[in-house]
Amino acid sequence: MIKTVLLTARSACAAWGILEIWRYASLDENLNVHVAAQEPAVTILKNHNVPILVIDLPPAVEPNDSDSKKILSYTKKLLSDISPSVVLVGLSTPGEGGIDEAVLALAECPSFMLQDFWGDSNLFFGKHPDCYLVADKEAALATERRHH
């Protein structure tokens, strides 16, 4: 059975991590992998020939502003169109909501966040991932202390 995976990235750090995961996941014939990104991640992923869905929307800076409504509306349609079995998101700049945070808020499947700094999480739209993918035991401890 083929599983549909949605990978997202907005920050440069997230792009580098998602790039490596995409390289391996795209080789698995049992996975249908989609990548959605906002700048600056778009440039990095395009430079490495990753087929991406470009999200040409600015990040939101307030959870209920017009930019938030736009990114959430776009994400709702994206998730409906793709119907992922699992999502793996990057991590946007703290205090901003992008595709990563919108996917976490709206996904109805298992969600994972690729953490790029110890203890970091962006809960802009108020939802934790089901699982944090962390660098090491120290990152796991920092994340546990900070977010649980």
Side-chain angles (χ1 to χ4, degrees), residues 6-27:
L6 175 60
L7 306 174
T8 68
R10 186 173 151 270
S11 75
C13 288
W16 291 112
I18 293 299
L19 170 63
E20 293 306 317
I21 291 167
W22 172 82
R23 283 183 172 154
Y24 290 98
S26 65
L27 299 174

Side-chain angles (χ1 to χ4, degrees), residues 11-107:
S11 75
C13 288
W16 291 112
I18 293 299
L19 170 63
E20 293 306 317
I21 291 167
W22 172 82
R23 283 183 172 154
Y24 290 98
S26 65
L27 299 174
D28 188 329
E29 61 190 38
N30 294 310
L31 298 177
N32 179 16
V33 182
H34 298 268
V35 181
Q38 286 174 282
E39 285 294 356
V42 168
T43 300
I44 293 166
L45 295 168
K46 278 187 172 184
N47 286 343
H48 287 84
N49 300 314
V50 177
I52 61 172
L53 301 165
V54 175
I55 301 162
D56 191 20
L57 293 171
V61 294
E62 293 292 332
N64 293 311
D65 69 6
S66 64
D67 289 333
S68 288
K69 291 175 181 152
K70 288 176 188 172
I71 193 71
L72 289 169
S73 176
Y74 177 92
T75 301
K76 184 177 181 180
K77 181 171 180 355
L78 174 69
L79 290 168
S80 176
D81 291 348
I82 292 175
S83 190
S85 308
V86 64
V87 297
L88 172 59
V89 303
L91 184 60
S92 293
T93 303
E96 295 181 350
I99 186 63
D100 303 313
E101 295 73 31
V103 166
L104 278 183
L106 298 174

Side-chain angles (χ1 to χ4, degrees), residues 122-135:
N122 183 339
L123 306 176
F124 188 84
F125 291 115
K127 190 170 174 198
H128 285 276
D130 295 319
C131 181
Y132 288 90
L133 303 180
V134 299

